[in-house]
Amino acid sequence: MILHPALLALEISALLCATMVVYAACFGMGIVRYWNLASGSETQLVLERQTYLVSTVLSYFLAFQLVSLFLFIRTADSICHLFVGAMCAVGTLTVNAFGYPTLALKLVNFLLAGLWLILNHADSRGYDYPLIRVKYLLLALVAPFFALEAGLQTLFFLNLDPDIITSCCGALFSPASRNLATEVVNAPPLPMLGILYGSGVLLLLAGGAFLRRGIGGYLFGGANLVHLAVALAAVVSVVSPYLYELPSHHCPFCILDPEYYFFGYPLYLSLLIAAVTGMGVGLLQPFRKVASLAETLPALQRRLVRISLGAQAVFLILCTLPVLFSALSLR
Amino acid sequence: MARGLDRQRHILDFTLAALLRRKGKTGALVAVYTLVVFLLASALFFGHALRREAELVLKDAPEITVQRSLTGRYAPIPKEYAGAIGEIRGVSSARPRLWGYYYDANSRANYTLVVPAENQPDPGTIVIGSGIATLRDANPGDQIGFTGYDGAAQSYRVARVLPEGAGLVSADLILISERDYRALSGIPDGEATDLVLTVHNAKEFATVAEKIRQRFPDTRPIVRDEILRTYDALFNWRGGVVAVLSGMAGLAFVIFAWDKATGLSAEERKEIGVLKAVGWETSDILAMKFWEGIAVSFTAFLLGVTLGYLHVFWGGSFLFAPVLKGWSTLYPNFRLIPAVDFGELGAILFLVVVPYSVSTIVPSWRAATIDPDAVLR
Amino acid sequence: MISARNIGKVFNQGRPNAFTALKEVSFDLQRRETTILKGPSGSGKTTLLGIVGCMARPTTGRIFLEEREITSLPERFLTDIRRRSFGFIFQQFNLIRGMTALENVMIPAYPLGERHAELKRRALATLDLFDLAAKAEAKVEWLSGGEAQRVAIARALINDPSVIIADEPTAHLDLRLSEEFMAIMRRLKADGKTLILASHDPIVYDSDLADRVVELRDGAVAGSAERA
Ligand SMILES: Nc1ncnc2c1ncn2[C@@H]1O[C@H](COP(=O)(O)OP(=O)(O)O)[C@@H](O)[C@H]1O
Ligand SMILES: [Mg+2]
């Protein structure tokens, strides 16, 4: 264990947040069990009030999760020189087996929290709490992931041993070691760029179809999930080398550094917003037939599609900038 | 959309006005909050700046230093080793160094004696750091006396005082000629404090170090990056201790915040009741409480971080300097080079703002769910 | 316009200190009519006003507002209906101390997200209706009793509700001010507002303003009289 202030900060807040969310999920279970809208009893009033508490907790959690995602990477980056062989966040994350799972879970949990809040928002538009059971059952399903993240992060920090010789991003992504990461990285850059734009265009078409004719909500949601994976792969394989102007430097974390004008922050932020809102459209699709939502849900979905496409456009433009202006050519 | 923004603006306006109406309570909260942020920010900035300082020092440090070690204790190294080590493949040069520490019992301070590789001062003269000049009240031209290893008094003329600004590194420095150094320290001709090597290829550090260990079992090669790591661990550890202490302060603060937020005064309960009765909804009150938290946190964060910055980079960290650096009398007012990093600000945010927010969620919610008909009676 | 069907309200239900404040209360109100709830202290007038005004939910029974059942709506929707349809004048005026008369009047409109300039203009106009324009920037704690009540009335009107509800409006006023208050109510009625006043003060319940007087006793309707 390394007593680094940022590690302490991340750990304390992760434990606090996990506790809060589990607490909120427990309330949620009470709501699922005793909910009876027809009753004017005081128990029912109390339950209705608790719904506000749960959604407040989740909104705070979402905000903290976003900051924590970036702070986690930033911290991994800034403590890397404690480990022999590490040169950026990649090295720190590979010190033990918990680094990458923690990061992945942080990302997943951000998406889950965002999706839950979208569902919650939709529910609050209906005068009879139409999604109340769905929403709290879902919360009970995702809350363990939030707790798991805090657990994995704790294990990761506890097992950060400065004597371990780790590898830097160069070694991790070098063609000599064959794993998924290398496959992604060594994907031919131009086709990869083509796939990125292609999938972006498909999203645009799906979104357009939804906006015009109100069809294909599931398609748009699913496409956003696939596109998220494509986009992350493209950042690693094409965008990073162009930005670093080094054909073999593929690190997805160094782009967050001041040397690269914090380019990674708007890049990832726009992608995350696009992904959450886009997937939210698909999540809401099955509830369009609910009577009390029939009026508001399509409008909400359309708004989500617009936000998603807007953020996606920002992301694609940001991806294009380094390719256009880089001194490097991968052709 | 515009309606939503205007709604938030109205609620924010109302919240700020309400905070200003309760000057005493708000002031106390912001003051305590600021203090916690200030302590934490000072500690982190200080640790970071020290780390930077060490990095700067070590940047010019030799890639590999070779010391001699007899039965695990340091010993001067024979100069001939330099020639043999210089021939190891990968080593471009090996140079003996003369340096050491001098404890001045009168002023109870440690000086660093160095024989520079180039531009040695003339025998009988020395160049001193600004810290020593202040401490001994010495100006160029003055004579300074030292006691040699054998008890004999030695006196040198101050040729020059090193300019300030190099901070920690040069304040305690004495540049001295080789002849005077040997007279003072008793290290005989033919021996040196240590050897410094230049090795151009970073990948060969480990191999070179290994070869030296094999060929000269009585030596101990030290690779620069290892020193950096040790420093780092040390500073982080100290920073960690301070963070833990501040964390406790933070905890006390959270309890305070909890108390402040739960113990809504009768006046505030009444006010929220009125708001709900005239048409505010639970989520409006939650938004109000959210803005209240943002306003208080933002103010305290900004104030605390600014004060911490001033404290560390302008005020000479007068609060911690003694704790963190060992009680050296030599550095009464050194200036650290300002260095702040986003990770640090993020850490402060997470150490203070998250606990504060989490501790106020439930009380805010309690306040927000006051019955609107409570004010009817 | 408003129908209450078999309203019952039990406080602290299921506990030893359970208390039935209302039982089987039913009545109908017409648009633009004035209804007076009359009855001794503790008879349940305030509780009933709270339920009719969407501030609290009944334990049993149903409330209809313009044919729409609002009994079990979530708080969010109930609040929305309340702030658009009902203006409240409380027994204690319940102005927020430390704020100006103008700000107090504007508060109910904040969550609706109107442009600030427009809202301020309307608030000033409303204050002006009650000769309070000069006091707009005065802190409410410096206002006299009559002025404070007129500010409270202005606040009740800011969202242009169709129904004005007042609970014991004359309890803290002397005779002259009580009469002034009734004059204002007359004006509002003439403007087409529906009024519901709860009072045990003869100045109110014997006033010719009343179209209907509902008398409550121990939480039940003891008599309902319509006046021509
Ligand atoms: N929150 C409450 N808990 C318990 N009893 C209450 C509560 N509110 C009102 N009551 C009781 O209900 C009865 C009716 O009160 P109220 O409606 O205020 O009467 P009125 O306005 O006619 O004086 C009173 O006896 C009062 O004590
Ligand atoms: Mg009453």
Side-chain angles (χ1 to χ4, degrees), chain B residues 3 19 34 67 118 122 159 165 172 184 186 192 197 200 202 204 243 254 262 298-299 301 311 321 353 363:
Chain B
R3 294 230 140 199
L19 284 173
T34 305
Q67 286 180 351
E118 286 140 30
D122 297 330
D172 69 341
L184 194 65
L197 315 186
H200 283 310
E204 298 203 7
V254 165
T262 23
F298 186 74
T299 313
F301 187 79
H311 168 223
V353 178

Side-chain angles (χ1 to χ4, degrees), chain A residues 3-6 8-9 12-13 16 20 23 49-50 52-53 56-57 60 64 67-68 71 74 81-84 262, chain B residues 44 229 232-233 236 240 243-244 281-283 286 290 341-343 346-347 350-351 354-355 357-358 361 365 369 371:
Chain A
L3 263 181
H4 189 280
L8 283 174
I12 289 175
S13 67
L16 276 177
M20 284 307 283
Y23 173 73
R49 292 198 169 149
Q50 284 174 353
Y52 283 95
L53 178 63
T56 310
V57 167
Y60 278 72
F64 293 148
V67 184
S68 126
L71 185 63
R74 170 75 234 160
H81 42 262
L82 293 176
F83 310 101
V84 181
F262 305 107
Chain B
L44 296 193
R229 265 195 282 286
D232 235 29
N236 277 333
V244 168
E281 200 244 323
T282 302
S283 53
L286 283 172
F290 166 77
D341 152 303
F342 275 87
F350 264 43
L351 278 174
V354 172
S357 315
V358 168
I361 287 181
W365 167 74
T369 48
D371 269 322

Side-chain angles (χ1 to χ4, degrees), chain A residues 12-13 32 38 46 50 63-64 80 90 123 159 180 198 225 235 255 278 283 302 315 328:
Chain A
I12 289 175
S13 67
V32 170
V46 170
Q50 284 174 353
F64 293 148
C80 68
V90 169
D123 182 45
N159 292 304
L180 182 67
L225 182 59
V235 167
I255 57 175
L283 178 69
R302 265 200 297 281
F315 171 75
L328 175 80

Side-chain angles (χ1 to χ4, degrees), chain C residues 94-105:
Chain C
N94 281 333
L95 298 174
I96 295 181
R97 295 164 59 82
M99 301 186 80
T100 64
L102 180 67
E103 287 166 330
N104 264 284
V105 172

Side-chain angles (χ1 to χ4, degrees), chain A residues 37-42 45 48-49 52 124-129, chain C residues 9-13 15 57-59 68 72-77:
Chain A
L37 200 54
S39 152
S41 72
E42 274 157 42
L45 280 179
E48 277 177 47
R49 292 198 169 149
Y52 283 95
S124 70
R125 305 293 104 182
Y127 54 81
D128 56 355
Y129 288 97
Chain C
K9 180 78 183 179
V10 183
F11 288 110
N12 307 320
Q13 198 172 30
R15 268 178 269 162
R57 276 191 236 169
T59 314
R68 180 176 181 198
S72 58
L73 281 183
E75 190 197 313
R76 185 175 289 106
F77 293 84

Side-chain angles (χ1 to χ4, degrees), chain C residues 33-36 182 186 189 197 204-213 225-228:
Chain C
E33 273 190 3
T34 298
T35 304
I36 310 261
M182 290 314 288
R186 195 158 289 128
K189 187 181 179 186
L197 312 178
V204 178
Y205 63 75
D206 285 343
S207 141
D208 57 350
L209 201 63
D211 297 303
R212 181 191 313 271
V213 178
E226 243 173 281
R227 299 204 186 145

Side-chain angles (χ1 to χ4, degrees), chain A residues 10-25 52-70 102-118 120 138-139 141-151 153 272 276, chain B residues 290 349-350 353-355 357-361:
Chain A
L10 280 167
E11 192 55 24
I12 289 175
S13 67
L15 293 176
L16 276 177
C17 287
T19 315
M20 284 307 283
V21 169
V22 169
Y23 173 73
Y52 283 95
L53 178 63
V54 177
S55 55
T56 310
V57 167
L58 263 289
S59 330
Y60 278 72
F61 179 81
L62 181 77
F64 293 148
Q65 191 69 14
L66 186 62
V67 184
S68 126
L69 183 63
F70 287 118
T102 307
L103 180 63
L105 213 51
K106 271 188 193 296
L107 183 66
V108 170
N109 287 348
F110 173 80
L111 295 176
L112 287 177
L115 288 175
W116 192 86
L117 283 169
I118 288 175
N120 181 56
L138 202 67
L139 182 62
L141 283 182
V142 299
F145 283 93
F146 298 158
L148 183 66
E149 177 202 316
Q153 185 181 286
L272 286 177
V276 163
Chain B
F290 166 77
L349 193 81
F350 264 43
V353 178
V354 172
S357 315
V358 168
S359 70
T360 52
I361 287 181

